[in-house]
Structure formats: C-alpha cells, structure tokens
Amino acid sequence: MFDLETYEIINLLGLGIGIIFGMVAQKKQFCFSGSIKDYILTKSTKRASSVIMAMIVAIIATTLMSNHFEVDLSESVYLRENLNYATIILGGAMFGVGMMIADGCGNRHLIKFAQGDSNSLIALIFIGIFAFATSKGLIHGILDPIVANETLISISSYIQNVQMNVYFVVGLLVVTLIYFLKRTKRVLSLFDGAIIGLLVAASWYVTGVMGEDSLEREITLTAITFVYPTAKSLELFSFYEVNELTFGISLIIGVILGAFSMSKMNKQFSFGCTANQNINRAKYNMFGGALMGTGGMLSIGCTVGQGLTGLSTLAFASALAILSIFVSAYIAAIILNKYDKLPMCFIFDWDDNTPDYQI
C-alpha cells in the first residue's frame, strides 16, 4: 500500500525515535544541565544518575549493535582523524557556559518549548542561527583559521582520537553511578536513562545498517544530536525548495511532538516560576543560545551529541568534549548561583518511599 523509499523509512524512524525520546525526557525531565543545577542547589543526584545510566546503556548497546551488524563507527564524525583538540575544548567550554546561562541545552529547550515555554523558542532560534553561521556563515570565516590551524592539529595528533577501552569507560561510569545512587534499589527509577541510551543505539542501527540500503539518497552515519540538526531545521524552514528532510531534522520534529503529547498527560511541570525572579530570560536565552550554537559546532556536538552519541563510539575526542562541557557548566552554575541567577522551578530528589519507576 505504501511504497516508500529507504530514506523515507529512515526519516519516519527518526521521527519515531524522536517521539519516544521527547515523551521520556518530558516525563522525567531528563536534563544534563539540570543535573548540575540540582547538585549545586540541593545536592540531589537523581537526574545526574539518569544521565550516567544513559551513557552506560548507550555505550554497551552501541558496542553490541556495531559488533553484531559490523557497523564501522570510525566513519562517524566522532572518530575522525586530524582533529583540533584545542577547538573541541574551547567549543565545549562555550557550550557548557551557554547551557547554564540559558537554563538548558538544545535538547532541554526542545522539551521546554513543547511544554509551553516560549522563551525556549528564542534559545532554539539562536542555537540554530549561530550553529549555521559557525558551519557556513560569517563566524566560520572568523574561526576557521583557528579550527584548521596546522600547528594546533599537529600538537593534537600526539594523542590520537582512538576508541577508548570499553571496560575502562563503562567501569568508571558504573562506579560513578554507584556513588550517586547511594541505595541500590534507586537504580529501578532510572528507566529514562536506560531508554534514552537504547535510543542512541537504535539510531546508529537506522543510519548505519538500514542507511546502507539507500540508493536514492546518501545517509549520514549518525545518531542523536541536536545542535547542527537545529540549524538544518531552521534552514529547511527558510529554504524548503533547496533542502531536504533528514534523519536529524525528523528527530527534532519527533522530540517536540513527543514532549508536547506527554505534557498533556504530565501537566505538573511549568516554567513560569522564572518570571518571579530577577532574570531577563529572553536576554539570557539569546546569549546562551548563541554560545551553544557556536560552541556545539566547535566541539562537534552538544551534551547529547557528544555526551551520549559521541561517547557511545568510545571516541577520545567525545570524552574530552563532554568533560569540557561539564567543567565549564559547573563553574558557570556556581557563579550564577552566587548572584541568585540559577532558577530552580522544581525539586528533583529521590523518593525512596514512593518509587517513581511506576509511570
């Protein structure tokens, strides 16, 4: 009945993966920047544990999937050679600061926008504009001499961008998760991280295995990431006739649809509380979005793009990027909190009496 081309099926699957991601992330308010904010304000490690769980599951599931289906992850952007680690660190630092100023990364603002936070649309637009300007526009011309600097690339080559040992990385993350959990039974409440980790591996399968069968259109080997797809979504919206729908754009549409539908059932979260604080949310979202757009392109990904998708390939550069993001974000959060500019709308803490793994 439906005679679809391979790339069309891949786009539909991207939409479906995005819908599931959006529903899960909205239900549990899955958030990288929020996990840092929670710890600084309340010492809560609940959302941080979900993030670590997502990393563990993404790495294990992706490793098993790539080995079984012989997907060559070295063809992805995360494991490419001749990288400039200086710009990856710089980009990660910019992104980390930006996501704390804007109160959320690209993924988080997609969820918040779907929940009705109009200020998040401002952040998304600025992420898209500055990501596009950094990849092809005015900012590209300014930063390219640094990104393509042969001296910096030569220095970076002393540490090759190899795949790290899976046992070492997973072991380190498991130890961190145990430290965050404190009580073993709490792991049952981390279903959001487990599902999101599996979605990363599923995305690799869709683009890496199914994508090879596409004869009509070349499919880029990728998984879940948000900065550049946000820019491409904005470009598609502006110049539809000269652009095409891709897996990444379909994913973003799906996240918004999934989060919106879940928000109609899960109405407890609202972001109007920032209006009562001395915060110019529109200004902060513009500045933070600009930093995330440029920083995300320099670091080859965002918190999800590098922290989950990139890390699932065990790329050294991805570990470097996400560490840079977290360190800069933590420092920025401390400074913002000092000046009472770190809003807390809801408390996310462990409820050991009422397990929240019951949806």
Side-chain angles (χ1 to χ4, degrees):
M1 181 178 178
F2 296 102
D3 187 16
L4 298 176
E5 304 288 358
T6 301
Y7 74 88
E8 293 174 324
I9 296 174
I10 289 174
N11 287 342
L12 285 174
L13 290 173
L15 181 70
I17 290 172
I19 288 173
I20 297 172
F21 187 107
M23 294 181 72
V24 172
Q26 197 284 330
K27 171 67 178 178
K28 298 282 284 181
Q29 299 293 289
F30 181 88
C31 182
F32 279 76
S33 60
S35 66
I36 296 173
K37 183 170 64 174
D38 290 351
Y39 184 77
I40 290 176
L41 295 178
T42 67
K43 300 303 178 185
S44 171
T45 58
K46 182 178 181 181
R47 288 202 285 180
S49 296
S50 288
V51 170
I52 299 300
M53 175 61 81
M55 290 178 174
I56 294 171
V57 173
I59 291 171
I60 294 174
T62 297
T63 300
L64 293 174
M65 184 280 303
S66 62
N67 289 339
H68 181 75
F69 293 102
E70 298 181 349
V71 177
D72 187 6
L73 295 176
S74 65
E75 294 182 359
S76 71
V77 66
Y78 306 104
L79 282 165
R80 74 186 192 194
E81 299 177 350
N82 298 321
L83 289 176
N84 185 340
Y85 291 144
T87 54
I88 287 179
I89 295 172
L90 173 62
M94 292 175 65
F95 191 93
V97 172
M99 78 176 186
M100 297 314 300
I101 291 175
D103 193 26
C105 60
N107 147 59
R108 182 62 177 154
H109 281 293
L110 286 171
I111 304 299
K112 290 168 69 174
F113 171 61
Q115 293 176 152
D117 185 356
S118 58
N119 281 318
S120 285
L121 180 59
I122 297 174
L124 291 170
I125 290 174
F126 271 75
I127 288 173
I129 290 174
F130 277 79
F132 195 80
T134 304
S135 64
K136 299 180 180 180
L138 176 64
I139 299 177
H140 173 78
I142 296 173
L143 294 179
D144 188 60
I146 301 174
V147 175
N149 186 278
E150 293 185 2
T151 301
L152 291 176
I153 293 175
S154 177
I155 294 173
S156 299
S157 67
Y158 285 104
I159 304 177
Q160 294 184 351
N161 184 30
V162 297
Q163 284 186 299
M164 299 177 292
N165 183 279
V166 63
Y167 299 105
F168 172 77
V169 176
V170 171
L172 186 62
L173 290 172
V174 168
V175 170
T176 304
L177 181 61
I178 293 172
Y179 174 77
F180 282 167
L181 286 175
K182 306 298 183 185
R183 299 180 182 181
T184 306
K185 70 175 184 178
R186 290 174 171 174
V187 74
L188 296 175
S189 67
L190 306 182
F191 68 85
D192 57 330
I195 293 173
I196 288 173
L198 290 173
L199 290 176
V200 171
S203 299
W204 283 121
Y205 174 82
V206 169
T207 62
V209 179
M210 298 181 65
E212 286 190 341
D213 296 330
S214 177
L215 301 176
E216 309 84 10
R217 187 180 297 176
E218 183 178 356
I219 304 299
T220 302
L221 178 63
T222 187
I224 302 177
T225 187
F226 292 107
V227 172
Y228 190 59
T230 298
K232 295 299 290 183
S233 298
L234 189 61
E235 182 186 28
L236 180 66
F237 180 77
S238 303
F239 304 102
Y240 176 77
E241 292 184 356
V242 295
N243 289 280
E244 56 190 31
L245 189 65
T246 63
F247 176 85
I249 296 174
S250 300
L251 182 78
I252 284 185
I253 296 172
V255 170
I256 294 174
L257 292 176
F260 176 76
S261 61
M262 180 58 75
S263 69
K264 297 305 177 183
M265 297 178 282
N266 184 37
K267 298 181 179 181
Q268 60 178 310
F269 297 110
S270 172
F271 294 88
C273 66
T274 54
N276 299 323
Q277 301 181 24
N278 185 27
I279 297 175
N280 187 331
R281 195 72 271 164
K283 180 178 71 175
Y284 275 48
N285 282 15
M286 284 189 287
F287 185 54
L291 286 174
M292 285 190 283
T294 297
M297 292 305 300
L298 292 176
S299 61
I300 321 178
C302 54
T303 46
V304 174
Q306 283 285 29
L308 293 183
T309 293
L311 197 61
S312 73
T313 70
L314 298 169
F316 171 77
S318 295
L320 191 65
I322 197 61
L323 282 173
S324 176
I325 290 173
F326 270 106
V327 169
S328 61
Y330 190 83
I331 294 172
I334 291 175
I335 295 172
L336 288 168
N337 187 45
K338 180 180 178 180
Y339 293 98
D340 196 28
K341 301 291 185 180
L342 197 65
M344 172 61 80
C345 300
F346 301 98
I347 303 297
F348 297 93
D349 206 352
W350 302 105
D351 187 348
D352 296 318
N353 296 320
T354 306
D356 62 356
Y357 53 82
Q358 298 176 353
I359 303 179

